[in-house]
Amino acid sequence: MTKRTSAKYKIDRRMGENIWGRPKSPVNRRDYGPGEHGQRRKGKLSDFGIQLRAKQKLKGYYGDITEKQFRRIFAEAERQKGDTGENLIGLLERRLDTVVYRAKFVSTIFAARQFVNHGHITVNEQKVNIPSFRVSEGDIIEIQSRSKQLAIVLEATQLRERDVPDYIDVDHSKMTANFLRTPHLNDVPYPVFMEPNLVVEFYAKN
């Protein structure tokens, strides 16, 4: 269990938004930040503050990945042809832990990272235990046979709070997922408004 897992609700409260759309998010009860000064009236954010917040929200959504990892992904998105913000979203959605989460094999992105780390997943019948592994269009992601009846898996597949997006074809009877295509920003079912264009502006200036 990582420190980020235990702190996932602090991310919600720091952002002031229920970024994963979870029913148990503390933001549903109190929309101010954590700590003794959390209820102080917030000042108006500068342009830098707005851009930083957009970056922190997007980075937090994908399991609060490290700044070094996130910046490396951004640099790759920048090198690709087309819109950098769209490219960034596409690369984040191709992470194996993200696909496992999207397929509803587990209930949270943090659990997805741990699930992959512990060797429960294969990609095209090859065991992969690297959460940041990048899947390709047409790849088949499957839960290993010994793990298909785990309680956390069976419970996650029954969750009604989110649906599997149409760029992933999932068969929960076989516990397999086919990554059909790299999504665009508008295809991704974020519970809150994400602004990758502000992330691009942030890194352009910093």
Side-chain angles (χ1 to χ4, degrees):
M1 190 66 69
T2 66
K3 290 181 180 178
R4 293 194 191 96
T5 304
S6 63
K8 62 181 179 291
Y9 290 138
K10 286 186 180 179
I11 297 171
D12 271 2
R13 291 186 64 194
R14 189 170 70 236
M15 295 296 108
E17 297 181 75
N18 184 358
I19 65 173
W20 295 285
R22 299 280 291 162
K24 293 181 180 179
S25 172
V27 176
N28 297 339
R29 301 188 299 277
R30 49 189 185 276
D31 60 358
Y32 49 85
E36 60 179 308
H37 304 299
Q39 295 187 62
R40 287 185 177 177
R41 191 163 67 179
K42 299 171 185 174
K44 186 178 179 181
L45 288 174
S46 63
D47 287 346
F48 172 82
I50 292 170
Q51 293 160 1
L52 175 63
R53 189 181 183 84
K55 184 199 67 142
Q56 297 292 67
K57 185 164 65 170
L58 189 64
K59 187 162 73 80
Y61 179 86
Y62 287 95
D64 207 20
I65 56 183
T66 66
E67 177 62 23
K68 184 177 180 180
Q69 281 183 310
F70 194 75
R71 190 152 200 151
R72 189 164 59 238
I73 296 168
F74 176 82
E76 185 170 351
E78 204 172 26
R79 290 193 298 269
Q80 293 180 347
K81 293 181 180 179
D83 182 87
T84 301
E86 288 278 357
N87 294 341
L88 176 62
I89 296 301
L91 290 173
L92 290 167
E93 286 294 311
R94 286 175 57 195
R95 284 175 58 99
L96 181 57
D97 56 357
T98 303
V99 176
V100 168
Y101 170 64
R102 291 277 181 238
K104 290 176 66 175
F105 289 155
V106 290
S107 60
T108 70
I109 188 67
F110 299 92
R113 180 180 299 170
Q114 192 175 52
F115 199 69
V116 175
N117 254 328
H118 289 181
H120 297 293
I121 292 293
T122 64
V123 178
N124 300 328
E125 299 184 346
Q126 298 296 315
K127 181 179 174 181
V128 179
N129 60 3
I130 303 170
S132 61
F133 176 88
R134 190 167 297 155
V135 303
S136 300
E137 295 179 2
D139 279 355
I140 302 298
I141 296 87
E142 184 174 5
I143 297 179
Q144 295 225 51
S145 298
R146 61 184 172 81
S147 308
K148 290 182 178 181
Q149 296 302 312
L150 288 174
I152 59 168
V153 174
L154 299 177
E155 290 169 7
T157 60
Q158 301 302 314
L159 285 175
R160 296 184 179 180
E161 63 197 46
R162 60 189 174 90
D163 297 320
V164 177
D166 62 8
Y167 49 90
I168 301 174
D169 183 29
V170 177
D171 185 341
H172 282 145
S173 66
K174 296 180 180 178
M175 295 299 179
T176 61
N178 183 354
F179 188 77
L180 301 176
R181 60 182 176 83
T182 302
H184 297 292
L185 173 61
N186 291 337
D187 299 323
V188 182
Y190 295 119
V192 296
F193 186 52
M194 293 293 185
E195 299 169 285
N197 58 305
L198 295 181
V199 180
V200 176
E201 291 176 17
F202 175 86
Y203 282 124
K205 297 177 181 177
N206 298 282

